[in-house]
Amino acid sequence: MKRLPVILILMLLVAAAVMARPAMRRADTDEDKAKADYFFLEALRAKSQDKPDAAFELLKRARELNPADLEIGQELALYMLMLSATDSTCLAEAMNMTKAYWDANQSDFTAGLRYGLLNDRMLNRQEALRVWNTLHELYPEKTDLTLHLADVLGQGGPNSDRNRAIALYDSIEIVEGPGLPLVGKKIELYLNENDTAGVLREADRLRLSAPANIDYQVFSGEVYSMMGRSDEALDFFNRAIELDPASGYARFSRAQYFKERGDSVAYDREVFVALRQPDLDVDTKLMILRGYISDIYADSTQQPRIRSLFDTLMVVHPLEHDIHDLYARYLITVKDYAGAAEQTEQTLGLDPADPEGWEMLASLYLQEEELDKAKDAIKRSLHYYPDNPSQHMMLGSIFYQEEEYDKAMSEYERSVELLDENDTDNLSRVYGLMGDALYADHMADSAFVYYQKAVLYDPTNYLAMNNSAYFMACEGKDLDKALEMIEKVVAVDPSSATSLDTYAWVLFKRKEYEKAREIMDRVLTLDGDDPTAEVLDHAGDIYFMDGEPRQALDFWKQALELEPDDERLREKVKQKCIIK
């Protein structure tokens, strides 16, 4: 897969000036040459006016009139390179024109830099070496060119190339002083040659150039650890922490050192010590904590350790929003929703300007079936964000659960008013919820209108399709449409017990009892030992009409055990038949 568009953008950014005009041109006639000059100047004017299409057409015409003009070719090549992502012929022609111009104008620094970078990106190593060598010889004082040459030399070739690359990096160090980027490049080359002594020598040179530099001490520790020199590596980590006990980089590196050696006790100790450091910045502590949690969170036996870490951190930083937020999100992953809600309350107390935080808090209370707390959280959030459609939608759902259907519909309607007309997913979702509320409020015809709107806005709203099909079956109307919808739902998720129960119920209402029983058996298998009273009630009705009254009675009895106050079920058990 080609990546030329990215390369070309980089190249165009490098170009900073129009190239000098070469003296020598060839054209069929002086008239053609004059016309080519005219079109070329007009192209430059169009370019300055940000009219790339016009400039490209003018340059093509100039090139046709005077193909020997290298400057025209160079300028045209810039446009052709942008068009060459899927055209190898166009790319080759553009590269040839770029090369021809630079070969004739090697003192043109910008053109050479552009051409060198192009060859770098296209992995034309030999041509890139030629360009960077030439530019390095012309401008030996420009260390950025020296760096380009050294980088290409280090990318393969004979050992002599790598040795020269190291020598060039050394020459840059003489001018700019040692630093991690250059030393890292040299160490990589020594590693490629399995030169352990060279690797350690570079780490030592860097460290000794500035003994009080913590980053250099830590870098030496990482290099020595990589080379199997564990004791010396630990000495460097310790020295870095002596120089600056609040260095997050040093403490994190030493913790990783212990972790890589399987020393969990020392690893734990290091993490706890780091988190207790009052001078260590919070972002670094959170970085350490996230890494620690990611290593052990899947092990439920380690939860006390993680909670202890958060407790330690919150003692030092009781008012840090991000710490409470991270703790809340961790507690969600371990399904401690009550604890997560408590931490989310803390985060919102520290920073109430967090709409997602308010939504998460309300959702957590709903997960715990704390409807009053969820409602209170939403109302508090609407004080800060009165136009948040998600919160109005959620508040409507709470009113729905409390069977206050008029209030639910008011909140849903407000949500629709606030939603963007292009947000079809959420519009579909809220219309489906409106359908649920209307049906529960005994307005079936209106409910089906809203279910239809939900599916119109989002043809993949399978929940709305399922509910519409189920309630159609309950009403005994439009059973063909109900069957069409539920078959679409089941086709997408054939292992959903809820959808299959609806499917069985639609078939039952269509008097297709044998097939309904077949589908209900799948539902009972999926539910295992935990079917709902509703499913057992349906199973009883289906088995009864399919000629299995004894089994039907068993299902009704099981349903009655789960819902002992259901008079309709009690009557079925008593009469041992379906009650109309």
Side-chain angles (χ1 to χ4, degrees), residues 159-179:
N159 286 340
S160 59
D161 280 0
R162 286 192 290 273
N163 292 338
R164 188 182 173 209
I166 291 172
L168 289 170
Y169 290 136
D170 287 339
S171 72
I172 297 173
E173 275 193 356
I174 293 172
V175 176
E176 298 183 350

Side-chain angles (χ1 to χ4, degrees), residues 122-359:
M122 296 179 65
L123 305 180
N124 295 335
R125 183 174 183 272
Q126 289 306 121
E127 184 65 0
L129 278 177
R130 183 178 77 89
V131 177
W132 297 127
N133 260 316
T134 302
L135 289 173
H136 174 61
E137 291 171 3
L138 288 169
Y139 306 99
E141 75 285 357
K142 290 185 177 293
T143 55
D144 56 335
L145 296 178
T146 308
L147 185 62
H148 280 300
L149 176 58
D151 286 347
V152 177
L153 284 166
Q155 294 168 1
N159 286 340
S160 59
D161 280 0
R162 286 192 290 273
N163 292 338
R164 188 182 173 209
I166 291 172
L168 289 170
Y169 290 136
D170 287 339
S171 72
I172 297 173
E173 275 193 356
I174 293 172
V175 176
E176 298 183 350
L180 281 170
L182 282 176
V183 170
K185 289 175 181 290
K186 287 192 282 184
I187 283 178
E188 184 178 353
L189 293 176
Y190 283 125
L191 285 171
N192 288 337
E193 296 177 359
N194 297 314
D195 186 348
T196 301
V199 170
L200 297 177
R201 184 171 63 250
E202 287 300 325
D204 291 343
R205 286 178 62 248
L206 178 64
R207 186 182 68 258
L208 294 173
S209 70
N213 187 306
I214 297 163
D215 291 347
Y216 293 177
Q217 293 285 344
V218 173
F219 181 74
S220 290
E222 292 173 342
V223 170
Y224 270 75
S225 177
M226 177 178 63
M227 303 309 294
R229 306 276 285 269
S230 301
D231 293 342
E232 291 156 289
L234 183 57
D235 288 341
F236 295 129
F237 292 134
N238 292 340
R239 176 59 180 154
I241 292 172
E242 287 173 11
L243 289 167
D244 183 4
S247 170
Y249 177 39
R251 290 200 173 275
F252 181 73
S253 297
R254 190 165 73 173
Q256 290 300 111
Y257 168 88
F258 290 128
K259 175 186 169 185
E260 289 166 5
R261 276 147 190 80
D263 189 345
S264 59
V265 175
Y267 177 49
D268 281 359
R269 182 185 67 242
E270 194 66 32
V271 171
F272 272 88
V273 169
L275 296 183
R276 289 192 184 101
Q277 292 295 318
D279 296 329
L280 185 60
D281 65 276
V282 172
D283 288 342
T284 300
K285 289 181 178 181
L286 288 171
M287 177 188 70
I288 293 172
L289 189 56
R290 288 189 185 99
Y292 186 84
I293 292 172
S294 68
D295 289 333
I296 65 174
Y297 89 95
D299 184 350
S300 60
T301 64
Q302 303 300 328
Q303 289 185 26
R305 290 167 65 190
I306 296 175
R307 290 172 187 261
S308 179
L309 278 172
F310 275 110
D311 290 341
T312 297
L313 198 53
M314 287 188 291
V315 167
V316 182
H317 304 283
L319 301 179
E320 281 293 341
H321 170 278
D322 290 352
I323 294 173
H324 291 286
D325 182 61
L326 180 60
Y327 195 14
R329 294 176 189 279
Y330 164 71
L331 292 172
I332 290 173
T333 65
V334 297
K335 295 183 169 50
D336 181 357
Y337 302 119
E342 181 182 348
Q343 292 303 317
T344 304
E345 288 278 14
Q346 294 281 346
T347 67
L348 292 169
L350 293 166
D351 180 14
D354 182 2
E356 291 183 4
W358 287 109
E359 290 178 29

